[in-house]
Structure formats: structure tokens, C-alpha cells
Amino acid sequence: MDTNVHPKKNERGQPVRLHAPHAPSAPASWLDAGSLATVVPGGALPPALNGLPFAPWRAAPADSAGWSALAARGAAFAEPGFSVPEGRHAAAGAVIVEPDGRVWVVHPSNAYGGYAATFPKGTVDQGVSLRATALREAWEESGLQVVLTGFLADSTRSLSHARYYLARRVGGCPSDMGWESQAVSLVPRVALAGLLASPHDAPLVAALLRLQV
């Protein structure tokens, strides 16, 4: 496999060339809660982590209606109202926490948008809920099937105003990440602030550390 070309094509069916591909971490890093572990597209992983197998999610919804239906079946929890400032568009994302305390982070292909690392997030399409968007973006960018467990924080980004939910992994496989990500990492909380360089992510990291979930 050519590691300079993402194994998945973009939304126009074109190959995505990676200018500076990531290197995968040592296999032992996945089983050490104090280590940062990184996988690349199609890369090797342990069979399971924290008692949950890694396996591509073949039954992921194929359209907005499917994501909306999945979100409607999710757990009930309270969240504040959501208002988008003028000049921004609505977005939603997920901060996915493992039972060992580490957090899933995606590395956008070719540092798109200036992000070397960030949390999964994407634009809310017309008629699609914030929660459905968060579920979709988590899967598309990290390869993970997640359930939302609560509200974390809102963040005003350069172009969007985004709602972020706490989430936990219930399936999927990070090596099955979509073309928008060139690597996925599992990061100890103490390392998040140093890895996520964007000031837009700092409030999310702070909110997560305060919760200690």
C-alpha cells in the first residue's frame, strides 16, 4: 500500500495524497493507559481495547435520515440552547473518552484548516440535528461507532459555532478512518493541551479536565 495516498477516496471519488503521513506507534502503546497511541489508515491494531473489539462498522447509516434515526434512539440527557453567532455556521462534534481515561483525537489530512490534531467535528446539514451530526462526524473522521453521553461545551471556531458532546466508543475501528483523517490517536488527558494547538480546542480540553469523566 502506498502510504502517501489515503486508501479512501474523497467525496468526488478522487485519491487523497498525503504530504506528510504519520508514523504508527508501537503496538504496546495501545495497552498502556499512560501512552499516546497512533494508528494510520489501514494500520495494525490489537484485536480489542478495554474489552471492546476493534472491527469496522459495516452497518453505519448511509444517509442523513439514518443518522437522525440513530440519534433519536440515543440516551436522554439535558443540554443548553444553541444559538449560532452571526457570520458562523452550525457544527457539532464528539469528544470520545475511553474507559482507561484516554481521549480519541483525529489528525486532519494534510493538516486541513490548520489543524494538526483536533476532535471530530463537522457542519450541520439542513434538517439534521446536532446529535446526529456529532455521531456522523465521529464515525467519518475516526472510524468509531459512538454513543453520546452528555453535553461538554460549545466552541466558536474560525468559521463555525460548534456543540461538542461527550461520547464513548461502542464499536468501529480507527484504522477504518475516512479520507478526511490521515491518522487517529488515543491520547492521555495530560497530553491533550500540548497536542491540540488550536486555541479553539483549549476550552474543550479545559471542560473535559474539569469533569474528570
Side-chain angles (χ1 to χ4, degrees):
M1 182 178 70
D2 184 352
T3 57
N4 290 312
V5 177
H6 202 293
K8 294 187 178 180
K9 295 181 179 179
N10 66 18
E11 76 277 10
R12 297 183 297 275
Q14 300 169 333
V16 177
R17 178 160 291 277
L18 304 176
H19 305 316
H22 279 66
S25 60
S29 64
W30 291 98
L31 305 180
D32 177 4
S35 294
L36 188 154
T38 298
V39 66
V40 297
L45 288 164
L49 181 66
N50 297 315
L52 184 64
F54 285 132
W57 187 19
R58 302 305 185 199
D63 53 27
S64 294
W67 289 110
S68 296
L70 184 62
R73 297 196 297 269
F77 56 82
E79 59 181 295
F82 185 74
S83 179
V84 181
E86 186 176 353
R88 301 289 195 275
H89 62 262
V95 177
I96 310 161
V97 182
E98 275 291 308
D100 64 16
R102 289 181 288 180
V103 182
W104 291 95
V105 167
V106 297
H107 302 271
S109 294
N110 300 319
Y112 181 79
Y115 292 94
T118 190
F119 298 116
K121 181 265 299 179
T123 299
V124 175
D125 294 332
Q126 186 173 5
V128 180
S129 70
L130 291 165
R131 295 190 187 192
T133 301
L135 293 172
R136 182 194 68 206
E137 294 300 318
W139 177 71
E140 289 181 352
E141 296 186 7
S142 74
L144 300 178
Q145 177 186 3
V146 306
V147 294
L148 306 180
T149 59
F151 165 77
L152 179 62
D154 292 336
S155 173
T156 299
R157 324 290 290 189
S158 54
L159 299 175
S160 67
H161 186 66
R163 168 142 300 178
Y164 284 86
Y165 297 96
L166 288 167
R168 62 182 174 86
R169 176 176 65 98
V170 294
C173 184
S175 64
D176 193 38
M177 69 193 80
W179 67 269
E180 292 175 292
S181 301
Q182 66 178 53
V184 176
S185 292
L186 189 55
V187 184
R189 295 187 198 204
V190 295
L192 283 171
L195 184 66
L196 278 62
S198 170
H200 301 308
D201 286 328
L204 304 173
V205 174
L208 180 63
L209 294 177
R210 285 195 300 269
L211 285 176
Q212 289 297 309
V213 293

